Amino acid sequence: MKRLTSIFLIFTLIFALASCGKIENWEEHKVQQSAAEASQTTQTTATTGKPPVVKKDKKTKKFKDEKGKTVYVVEVVLPEITKNCEKSVAEFINTVTNEIFEEECERAEVNVPSASSYMKNSESKTPWSSELDFETTYISSKYVCFLIKKTISYFGIEGIEPRYETKCFNVQTGAICSVWDFASDPSLEEEITAHLADYMMKNAPKDFDTEDYAGLSQVYVEKIKTVFNPNQFYLTDEGIGFYFERGDVAPAYSGVYQRVIPWADLGGYFVHPEEV
């Protein structure tokens, strides 16, 4: 009887130890599952968060000659990120865009003597000026793209077409982006550039039509290959926009030639920013 009782107690102890093992393993499993769910939640938040809030930052600076006469004016409206972006990243992006204003002020300072002389000799009362504005062409929780439009005038801004400059950022890291950051295979740069240039060449002749000129001759169309730069780009929901100075192709033209190439026509060479 004592022997049977001992055997029963041994089996009871073994069962109890096994049960404790199961409980410990279950608790460990729950901890691992919670960590995985937390990680998944963090990743989801990072990719579905709100896009940054961008406000217009207006600045004006006047430059005077030795006689105290205003001869150059710099007026800018630039993007400033204020919300929904990590502080250090927002500060970096805002610093980069503000450098555009500083560069224009440096240009104005150097040209004060020339502006003063021009106004005196031409009996002009209009100061030289640099005016900058921007367009947010793409914005999400991952990327923001600004098209900076710059107009420089020596006799009044009216009727002068602006030049373009792109500022594109990864708003999660602060990295400045080139068009190749969105390429499916950046090693195919030469092949991709040729494809994009061909697309621009195909559409340029009719797009260059004006009241004074009836489109481009084939000689000028071919020149697009030499002036086209893929990094003169901007992101949009519909595709990627590219641009170049019309005068670089045909001297009789002015302003910027731009065209958005739809994602479907990008030949699979680029992926949508949200899929990068």
Side-chain angles (χ1 to χ4, degrees):
M1 184 68 180
K2 291 181 179 179
R3 186 175 182 181
L4 289 174
T5 302
S6 299
I7 293 173
F8 176 77
L9 290 172
I10 290 171
F11 274 107
T12 301
L13 179 61
I14 292 173
F15 180 80
L17 290 173
S19 298
C20 289
K22 287 181 180 179
I23 292 173
E24 290 173 357
N25 291 338
W26 172 251
E27 292 301 323
E28 181 180 352
H29 169 72
K30 290 295 290 181
V31 170
Q32 292 175 346
Q33 185 179 39
S34 297
E37 290 174 351
S39 175
Q40 184 176 5
T41 300
T42 300
Q43 292 175 3
T44 302
T45 301
T47 56
T48 61
K50 295 180 180 179
V53 174
V54 178
K55 77 170 188 177
K56 294 184 176 182
D57 183 21
K58 299 181 180 180
K59 296 180 180 180
T60 301
K61 189 170 182 178
K62 297 181 179 181
F63 297 83
K64 299 181 179 182
D65 62 12
E66 295 178 348
K67 295 182 179 181
K69 182 178 181 179
T70 299
V71 296
Y72 207 121
V73 179
V74 175
E75 294 183 296
V76 303
V77 180
L78 293 172
E80 180 182 10
I81 293 180
T82 59
K83 294 181 181 179
N84 300 341
C85 185
E86 203 277 323
K87 183 179 179 180
S88 62
V89 172
E91 288 177 349
F92 173 75
I93 294 175
N94 293 339
T95 297
V96 171
T97 55
N98 188 64
E99 285 174 354
I100 301 173
F101 173 64
E102 294 174 355
E103 289 170 0
E104 288 306 305
C105 288
E106 290 174 4
R107 185 199 307 275
E109 190 73 53
V110 170
N111 282 285
V112 163
S114 298
S116 179
S117 177
Y118 177 89
M119 290 178 65
K120 180 180 178 180
N121 294 336
S122 62
E123 298 182 351
S124 172
K125 295 182 180 180
T126 304
W128 287 11
S129 64
S130 294
E131 292 190 9
L132 287 85
D133 202 349
F134 76 95
E135 176 186 353
T136 304
T137 63
Y138 186 86
I139 188 167
S140 74
S141 62
K142 295 180 70 175
Y143 296 98
V144 63
C145 188
F146 303 118
L147 193 60
I148 309 297
K149 303 178 180 182
K150 181 189 304 183
T151 306
I152 299 176
S153 171
Y154 309 114
F155 46 80
I157 218 75
E158 186 175 352
I160 298 178
E161 296 189 55
R163 294 187 174 186
Y164 290 174
E165 181 181 349
T166 298
K167 295 294 181 184
C168 185
F169 302 92
N170 181 320
V171 295
Q172 295 180 353
T173 66
I176 299 174
C177 302
S178 78
V179 73
W180 305 115
D181 289 308
F182 308 100
S184 53
D185 186 353
S187 68
L188 300 176
E189 181 176 335
E190 186 174 341
E191 180 180 331
I192 296 172
T193 299
H195 173 78
L196 298 175
D198 285 343
Y199 190 97
M200 300 294 275
M201 290 167 62
K202 179 179 69 176
N203 291 277
K206 67 179 188 311
D207 288 348
F208 268 66
D209 285 350
T210 67
E211 294 180 359
D212 301 318
Y213 303 98
L216 293 179
S217 66
Q218 190 58 33
V219 173
Y220 287 136
V221 170
E222 291 293 328
K223 196 174 179 182
I224 291 176
K225 290 181 181 179
T226 64
V227 305
F228 179 73
N229 178 0
N231 266 313
Q232 292 180 328
F233 81 105
Y234 54 94
L235 300 174
T236 74
D237 288 324
E238 293 74 29
I240 303 179
F242 296 94
Y243 58 88
F244 54 80
E245 293 286 329
R246 293 173 185 264
D248 291 342
V249 174
Y253 291 86
S254 62
V256 175
Y257 173 70
Q258 60 181 327
R259 172 167 281 274
V260 174
I261 303 181
W263 296 109
D265 293 338
L266 286 168
Y269 288 123
F270 292 93
V271 296
H272 193 281
E274 302 311 301
E275 298 175 5
V276 174

